[in-house]
């Protein structure tokens, strides 16, 4: 079949100005910010223009339905549907592709499938839904994949609703302001029952496809990979408390400075992770209170991200880091507390679904490998409840969560065609 004209790059271009961050570079699109709401409206418009039936569920997930011809368009006819999609929110100063590539590719893949059905080349036996999940990055309320966690029941809705952003707004209040009813949020058996398989396309967030193992003589790797697993990972908050005081009148010997304790721990985190094979541990966010230049902080909040293929090792690393934090805090005349914000075990994607994705992709890209990832995704959360799989599109920079994240136009198009072929085989 002749490769159709693909619109993924045009779709991405249409949203390329939304949420640009002039200070950090890249994009800052926290959930339910003006930029993220604009992107949600963009997706709804694109889906409705294609004749898809769009709804937003109790947890803020957007669903765009391509029902079977002549079906009743109800839960009974949609049970066991094939679902694809991703997210539209971003980390602070993130790249253009993390999330939106999967959403735009879902729309573009639908266009290909609809054309094939119209030409009589596709006969479906189940519905397809395009989904957009909110707060995948956790950049506003601190818990990654919050929409899929609520949908699946992986997080207590009471805990979720009490989460607060940096301005002190609760998730309950923000959800209410955006038309949701907090009393209805949480595990949604009906919505889960509609998902027969979930396939998420995403930009590769590392350099796996650019390693020597997979690159050709020109140094170019395959455009697409099949996801195999996601490292276990979690987020913890360490709160160092000391004595707030005047920066000019307080002698160095008289200080109980939580910033000094926090700084020492940051170095210890690197040291502890570096001693364990395949471990990653990161302090990417640190907030002093009250935060004045001429003020010794009274408290410092520090967020820790730890990842490892073995969940027991992840727990051991956090315990070691906590132990060092306690020693450092005591030496500096401070105290420290640790609280878990989110935790996801290592995920291995559904074997049968992954095999189907591999067969489909290999027809288009024979050398497409299976790759693990250290990045979390909604597909990883949902994997405990429904069969899930992932496709990754090559990122020549090898960099993500940064303005330097990149996908070449030809690779984005190849990703769409690979996704369309995979979805067709599953439909």
């Amino acid at each position: 079949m002749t490769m159709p004209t693909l619109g993924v790059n045009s779709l991405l271009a249409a949203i390329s100005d939304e949420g640009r961050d002039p200070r950090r570079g890249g994009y800052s699109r926290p959930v339910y910010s003006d930029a993220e709401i604009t992107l949600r409206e963009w997706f709804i418009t694109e889906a409705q223009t294609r004749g898809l039936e769009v709804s937003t569920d109790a947890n803020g997930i957007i669903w765009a339905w391509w029902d079977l011809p002549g079906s009743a368009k109800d839960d009974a006819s949609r049970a066991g549907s094939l679902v694809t999609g991703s997210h539209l929110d971003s980390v602070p100063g993130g790249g253009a592709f993390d999330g939106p590539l999967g959403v735009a590719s879902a729309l573009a893949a639908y266009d290909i499938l609809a054309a094939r059905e119209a030409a009589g080349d596709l006969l479906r036996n189940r519905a397809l839904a395009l989904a957009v999940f909110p707060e995948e990055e956790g950049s506003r309320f601190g818990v990654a994949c919050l929409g899929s966690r609520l949908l699946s029941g992986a997080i207590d809705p009471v805990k979720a609703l009490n989460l607060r952003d940096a301005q002190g707004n609760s998730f309950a209040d923000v959800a209410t302001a955006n038309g949701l009813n907090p009393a209805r949020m949480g595990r949604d058996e009906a919505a889960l029952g509609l998902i027969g398989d979930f396939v998420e396309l995403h930009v590769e967030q590392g350099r796996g496809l650019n390693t020597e193992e997979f690159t050709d003589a020109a140094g170019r790797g395959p455009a697409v990979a099949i996801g195999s697993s996601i490292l276990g990972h979690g987020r913890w908050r360490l709160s160092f408390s000391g004595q707030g005081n005047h920066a000019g009148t307080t002698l160095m010997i008289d200080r109980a400075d939580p910033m000094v304790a926090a700084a020492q721990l940051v170095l210890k985190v690197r040291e502890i992770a570096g001693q364990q094979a395949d471990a990653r541990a990161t302090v990417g966010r640190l907030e002093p209170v009250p935060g004045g230049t001429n003020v010794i902080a009274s408290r410092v909040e520090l967020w820790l991200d730890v990842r490892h293929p073995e969940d027991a090792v992840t727990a051991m690393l956090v315990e070691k880091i906590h132990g060092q934090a306690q020693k450092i805090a005591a030496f500096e005349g401070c105290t420290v507390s640790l609280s878990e914000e989110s935790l996801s075990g290592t995920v291995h994607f559904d074997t049968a679904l992954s095999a189907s994705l591999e067969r489909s992709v290999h027809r288009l890209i024979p050398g497409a490998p299976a790759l693990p990832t250290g990045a979390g995704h909604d597909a990883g959360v949902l994997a405990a409840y429904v069969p899930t799989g992932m496709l990754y599109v090559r990122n020549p920079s090898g960099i993500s969560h940064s303005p330097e994240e990149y996908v070449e136009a030809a690779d984005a198009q190849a990703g769409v065609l690979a996704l369309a072929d995979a979805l067709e085989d599953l439909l």
Side-chain angles (χ1 to χ4, degrees):
M1 177 180 292
T2 302
M3 181 173 172
T5 301
L6 304 177
V8 62
N9 294 298
S10 296
L11 287 164
L12 289 170
I15 59 173
S16 62
D17 289 331
E18 294 297 335
R20 286 190 180 273
D21 192 321
R23 182 171 70 86
R24 300 182 180 95
Y27 297 87
S28 293
R29 298 161 167 168
V31 70
Y32 297 130
S33 64
D34 289 346
E36 199 256 2
I37 290 170
T38 296
L39 295 194
R40 288 168 67 89
E41 292 170 346
W42 162 82
F43 171 77
I44 290 170
T45 299
E46 289 290 340
Q48 289 176 335
T49 298
R50 288 162 169 77
L52 304 180
E53 184 173 301
V54 181
S55 62
T56 301
D57 69 16
N59 294 307
I61 302 166
I62 305 173
W63 303 85
W65 289 97
W66 188 30
D67 292 292
L68 289 173
S71 73
K73 300 184 178 182
D74 56 13
D75 284 0
S77 64
R78 292 171 176 172
S81 293
L82 179 59
V83 181
T84 188
S86 194
H87 63 97
L88 293 168
D89 63 301
S90 79
V91 298
F97 301 93
D98 180 355
L101 178 65
V103 175
S105 295
L107 288 164
Y110 161 79
D111 291 341
I112 294 172
L113 294 172
R116 291 177 183 176
E117 184 175 65
D121 296 325
L122 169 61
L123 295 175
R124 295 183 290 138
N125 58 26
R126 57 174 169 166
L128 174 70
L130 316 184
V132 175
F133 293 87
E135 185 68 331
E136 192 271 353
E137 298 292 2
S139 61
R140 182 167 184 179
F141 292 100
V143 176
C145 302
L146 187 56
S148 55
R149 289 181 191 275
L150 283 165
L151 167 69
S152 62
I155 187 172
D156 182 343
V158 174
K159 175 183 177 180
L161 291 167
N162 283 300
L163 294 170
R164 293 187 178 274
D165 64 15
Q167 287 70 46
N169 302 303
S170 73
F171 180 60
D173 289 342
V174 172
T176 300
N178 285 278
L180 302 177
N181 180 353
R184 296 182 57 225
M185 301 183 85
R187 182 176 171 90
D188 190 335
E189 296 285 357
L192 275 176
L194 302 182
I195 306 174
D197 297 285
F198 177 62
V199 178
E200 182 172 2
L201 179 143
H202 206 276
V203 59
E204 187 192 7
Q205 295 182 277
R207 55 186 181 88
L209 283 169
N210 290 324
T211 56
E212 188 174 329
E213 180 181 1
F214 303 121
T215 52
D216 58 21
R220 185 184 182 86
V224 178
I226 300 94
S228 60
S229 62
I230 295 178
L231 287 184
H233 59 283
R235 298 182 184 187
W236 292 263
R237 180 192 297 206
L238 289 137
S239 181
F240 287 91
S241 295
Q243 178 59 62
N245 215 328
H246 194 292
T249 62
T250 310
L251 299 178
M252 301 305 288
I253 196 171
D254 292 334
R255 299 185 179 199
D257 189 343
M259 182 64 82
V260 174
Q264 292 179 59
L265 184 68
V266 171
L267 296 176
K268 278 293 182 183
V269 166
R270 182 178 67 172
E271 177 184 319
I272 291 168
Q275 294 169 350
Q276 180 66 52
D278 296 324
R280 289 96 153 142
T282 306
V283 176
R285 179 180 167 201
L286 187 150
E287 293 182 1
V289 178
T293 303
N294 60 347
V295 179
I296 299 167
S298 59
R299 188 174 79 253
V300 173
E301 305 284 355
L302 178 153
W303 281 263
L304 174 69
D305 181 302
V306 181
R307 306 179 188 226
H308 191 273
E310 298 178 28
D311 298 340
V313 175
T314 301
M316 177 271 291
L317 290 167
V318 174
E319 185 178 348
K320 274 190 175 183
I321 292 167
H322 186 208
Q324 286 296 319
Q326 291 173 315
K327 290 179 182 179
I328 292 168
F331 183 81
E332 295 295 336
C334 300
T335 61
V336 65
S337 63
L338 174 74
S339 60
E340 177 188 300
E341 293 202 331
S342 65
L343 180 62
S344 300
T346 291
V347 171
H348 296 277
F349 291 118
D350 184 81
T351 302
L353 178 54
S354 295
S356 177
L357 295 178
E358 187 170 309
R359 288 191 298 270
S360 303
V361 174
H362 280 180
R363 292 200 304 270
L364 179 70
I365 306 170
L371 290 179
T373 184
H377 300 285
D378 290 305
V381 171
L382 294 175
Y385 309 92
V386 298
T388 67
M390 292 195 70
L391 300 178
Y392 303 124
V393 177
R394 189 177 73 98
N395 176 356
S397 73
I399 296 171
S400 188
H401 282 185
S402 162
E404 296 169 76
E405 174 183 278
Y406 186 60
V407 172
E408 294 178 358
D411 287 348
Q413 291 181 347
V416 169
L417 193 58
L419 177 63
D421 287 350
L423 296 177
E424 178 176 356
D425 290 342
L426 293 164
L427 284 169

mmCIF file of all heavy atoms in Angstrom, residues 391-411:
data_model
loop_
_atom_site.group_PDB
_atom_site.id
_atom_site.type_symbol
_atom_site.label_atom_id
_atom_site.label_comp_id
_atom_site.label_asym_id
_atom_site.label_seq_id
_atom_site.Cartn_x
_atom_site.Cartn_y
_atom_site.Cartn_z
ATOM 1 N N LEU A 391 5.487 1.896 22.192
ATOM 2 C CA LEU A 391 6.399 2.119 21.087
ATOM 3 C C LEU A 391 7.173 3.399 21.379
ATOM 4 O O LEU A 391 6.603 4.377 21.873
ATOM 5 C CB LEU A 391 5.642 2.286 19.763
ATOM 6 C CG LEU A 391 4.772 1.111 19.299
ATOM 7 C CD1 LEU A 391 4.060 1.471 18.013
ATOM 8 C CD2 LEU A 391 5.607 -0.143 19.122
ATOM 9 N N TYR A 392 8.478 3.384 21.077
ATOM 10 C CA TYR A 392 9.309 4.566 21.261
ATOM 11 C C TYR A 392 9.817 5.055 19.908
ATOM 12 O O TYR A 392 10.237 4.253 19.074
ATOM 13 C CB TYR A 392 10.515 4.259 22.153
ATOM 14 C CG TYR A 392 10.150 3.709 23.507
ATOM 15 C CD1 TYR A 392 10.666 2.499 23.942
ATOM 16 C CD2 TYR A 392 9.285 4.405 24.351
ATOM 17 C CE1 TYR A 392 10.341 1.987 25.189
ATOM 18 C CE2 TYR A 392 8.950 3.898 25.592
ATOM 19 C CZ TYR A 392 9.480 2.688 26.013
ATOM 20 O OH TYR A 392 9.150 2.179 27.233
ATOM 21 N N VAL A 393 9.804 6.370 19.729
ATOM 22 C CA VAL A 393 10.331 6.975 18.512
ATOM 23 C C VAL A 393 11.702 7.565 18.825
ATOM 24 O O VAL A 393 11.887 8.234 19.851
ATOM 25 C CB VAL A 393 9.384 8.066 17.969
ATOM 26 C CG1 VAL A 393 9.994 8.741 16.744
ATOM 27 C CG2 VAL A 393 8.029 7.463 17.626
ATOM 28 N N ARG A 394 12.645 7.315 17.941
ATOM 29 C CA ARG A 394 14.044 7.683 18.151
ATOM 30 C C ARG A 394 14.213 9.161 18.487
ATOM 31 O O ARG A 394 13.596 10.029 17.874
ATOM 32 C CB ARG A 394 14.868 7.351 16.896
ATOM 33 C CG ARG A 394 16.380 7.495 17.068
ATOM 34 C CD ARG A 394 17.088 7.066 15.799
ATOM 35 N NE ARG A 394 16.910 8.067 14.746
ATOM 36 C CZ ARG A 394 17.798 9.006 14.447
ATOM 37 N NH1 ARG A 394 18.919 9.089 15.124
ATOM 38 N NH2 ARG A 394 17.569 9.853 13.459
ATOM 39 N N ASN A 395 15.069 9.415 19.444
ATOM 40 C CA ASN A 395 15.422 10.763 19.878
ATOM 41 C C ASN A 395 16.924 10.935 19.643
ATOM 42 O O ASN A 395 17.729 10.473 20.435
ATOM 43 C CB ASN A 395 15.076 10.921 21.357
ATOM 44 C CG ASN A 395 15.495 12.265 21.938
ATOM 45 O OD1 ASN A 395 16.114 13.082 21.279
ATOM 46 N ND2 ASN A 395 15.172 12.474 23.203
ATOM 47 N N PRO A 396 17.333 11.554 18.535
ATOM 48 C CA PRO A 396 18.756 11.611 18.209
ATOM 49 C C PRO A 396 19.598 12.342 19.238
ATOM 50 O O PRO A 396 20.798 12.115 19.333
ATOM 51 C CB PRO A 396 18.795 12.318 16.842
ATOM 52 C CG PRO A 396 17.496 13.020 16.740
ATOM 53 C CD PRO A 396 16.506 12.206 17.506
ATOM 54 N N SER A 397 18.985 13.232 20.014
ATOM 55 C CA SER A 397 19.745 13.939 21.050
ATOM 56 C C SER A 397 20.010 13.036 22.255
ATOM 57 O O SER A 397 20.957 13.261 23.010
ATOM 58 C CB SER A 397 18.990 15.194 21.510
ATOM 59 O OG SER A 397 17.865 14.850 22.304
ATOM 60 N N GLY A 398 19.166 12.016 22.458
ATOM 61 C CA GLY A 398 19.272 11.187 23.649
ATOM 62 C C GLY A 398 18.864 11.911 24.912
ATOM 63 O O GLY A 398 19.017 11.391 26.016
ATOM 64 N N ILE A 399 18.328 13.124 24.771
ATOM 65 C CA ILE A 399 18.010 13.978 25.918
ATOM 66 C C ILE A 399 16.502 14.171 25.994
ATOM 67 O O ILE A 399 15.834 14.368 24.984
ATOM 68 C CB ILE A 399 18.713 15.345 25.786
ATOM 69 C CG1 ILE A 399 20.233 15.157 25.829
ATOM 70 C CG2 ILE A 399 18.248 16.313 26.866
ATOM 71 C CD1 ILE A 399 21.009 16.412 25.484
ATOM 72 N N SER A 400 15.959 14.127 27.217
ATOM 73 C CA SER A 400 14.536 14.368 27.413
ATOM 74 C C SER A 400 14.342 15.174 28.691
ATOM 75 O O SER A 400 15.282 15.377 29.466
ATOM 76 C CB SER A 400 13.772 13.046 27.472
ATOM 77 O OG SER A 400 12.370 13.282 27.478
ATOM 78 N N HIS A 401 13.112 15.629 28.927
ATOM 79 C CA HIS A 401 12.820 16.543 30.042
ATOM 80 C C HIS A 401 13.722 17.771 29.945
ATOM 81 O O HIS A 401 14.204 18.301 30.944
ATOM 82 C CB HIS A 401 12.983 15.851 31.401
ATOM 83 C CG HIS A 401 11.830 14.972 31.739
ATOM 84 N ND1 HIS A 401 11.708 14.328 32.960
ATOM 85 C CD2 HIS A 401 10.725 14.622 31.035
ATOM 86 C CE1 HIS A 401 10.600 13.629 32.983
ATOM 87 N NE2 HIS A 401 9.983 13.791 31.815
ATOM 88 N N SER A 402 13.926 18.226 28.733
ATOM 89 C CA SER A 402 14.835 19.336 28.447
ATOM 90 C C SER A 402 14.459 19.902 27.083
ATOM 91 O O SER A 402 13.942 19.185 26.226
ATOM 92 C CB SER A 402 16.276 18.824 28.418
ATOM 93 O OG SER A 402 17.136 19.736 27.760
ATOM 94 N N PRO A 403 14.752 21.195 26.852
ATOM 95 C CA PRO A 403 14.489 21.763 25.521
ATOM 96 C C PRO A 403 15.241 21.052 24.403
ATOM 97 O O PRO A 403 14.854 21.176 23.231
ATOM 98 C CB PRO A 403 14.969 23.219 25.670
ATOM 99 C CG PRO A 403 14.854 23.514 27.122
ATOM 100 C CD PRO A 403 15.195 22.226 27.821
ATOM 101 N N GLU A 404 16.297 20.307 24.729
ATOM 102 C CA GLU A 404 17.095 19.621 23.704
ATOM 103 C C GLU A 404 16.473 18.309 23.223
ATOM 104 O O GLU A 404 16.995 17.686 22.298
ATOM 105 C CB GLU A 404 18.500 19.361 24.230
ATOM 106 C CG GLU A 404 19.285 20.634 24.512
ATOM 107 C CD GLU A 404 20.560 20.352 25.287
ATOM 108 O OE1 GLU A 404 21.519 19.861 24.681
ATOM 109 O OE2 GLU A 404 20.567 20.612 26.506
ATOM 110 N N GLU A 405 15.391 17.897 23.845
ATOM 111 C CA GLU A 405 14.661 16.714 23.370
ATOM 112 C C GLU A 405 14.270 16.926 21.908
ATOM 113 O O GLU A 405 13.861 18.021 21.520
ATOM 114 C CB GLU A 405 13.424 16.562 24.253
ATOM 115 C CG GLU A 405 12.454 15.489 23.866
ATOM 116 C CD GLU A 405 11.256 15.549 24.807
ATOM 117 O OE1 GLU A 405 11.353 14.997 25.917
ATOM 118 O OE2 GLU A 405 10.248 16.195 24.455
ATOM 119 N N TYR A 406 14.371 15.849 21.105
ATOM 120 C CA TYR A 406 14.164 16.063 19.671
ATOM 121 C C TYR A 406 13.678 14.785 18.989
ATOM 122 O O TYR A 406 14.034 13.681 19.390
ATOM 123 C CB TYR A 406 15.477 16.523 19.017
ATOM 124 C CG TYR A 406 15.343 16.915 17.569
ATOM 125 C CD1 TYR A 406 14.495 17.955 17.196
ATOM 126 C CD2 TYR A 406 16.051 16.246 16.581
ATOM 127 C CE1 TYR A 406 14.362 18.318 15.855
ATOM 128 C CE2 TYR A 406 15.926 16.607 15.237
ATOM 129 C CZ TYR A 406 15.076 17.635 14.890
ATOM 130 O OH TYR A 406 14.932 17.996 13.581
ATOM 131 N N VAL A 407 12.866 14.968 17.973
ATOM 132 C CA VAL A 407 12.458 13.886 17.072
ATOM 133 C C VAL A 407 12.508 14.424 15.652
ATOM 134 O O VAL A 407 11.959 15.500 15.381
ATOM 135 C CB VAL A 407 11.036 13.383 17.397
ATOM 136 C CG1 VAL A 407 10.553 12.403 16.323
ATOM 137 C CG2 VAL A 407 10.998 12.701 18.755
ATOM 138 N N GLU A 408 13.162 13.703 14.761
ATOM 139 C CA GLU A 408 13.201 14.121 13.369
ATOM 140 C C GLU A 408 11.849 13.865 12.713
ATOM 141 O O GLU A 408 11.155 12.903 13.054
ATOM 142 C CB GLU A 408 14.307 13.371 12.625
ATOM 143 C CG GLU A 408 15.702 13.736 13.122
ATOM 144 C CD GLU A 408 16.787 12.955 12.404
ATOM 145 O OE1 GLU A 408 16.451 12.107 11.541
ATOM 146 O OE2 GLU A 408 17.973 13.192 12.703
ATOM 147 N N ALA A 409 11.489 14.728 11.765
ATOM 148 C CA ALA A 409 10.174 14.639 11.115
ATOM 149 C C ALA A 409 9.963 13.281 10.473
ATOM 150 O O ALA A 409 8.872 12.689 10.578
ATOM 151 C CB ALA A 409 10.026 15.745 10.080
ATOM 152 N N ALA A 410 10.981 12.732 9.826
ATOM 153 C CA ALA A 410 10.843 11.433 9.162
ATOM 154 C C ALA A 410 10.616 10.320 10.178
ATOM 155 O O ALA A 410 9.841 9.386 9.933
ATOM 156 C CB ALA A 410 12.083 11.136 8.320
ATOM 157 N N ASP A 411 11.271 10.412 11.334
ATOM 158 C CA ASP A 411 11.075 9.403 12.372
ATOM 159 C C ASP A 411 9.677 9.500 12.980
ATOM 160 O O ASP A 411 9.045 8.488 13.301
ATOM 161 C CB ASP A 411 12.129 9.555 13.470
ATOM 162 C CG ASP A 411 13.509 9.087 13.033
ATOM 163 O OD1 ASP A 411 13.611 8.440 11.978
ATOM 164 O OD2 ASP A 411 14.482 9.359 13.762
#
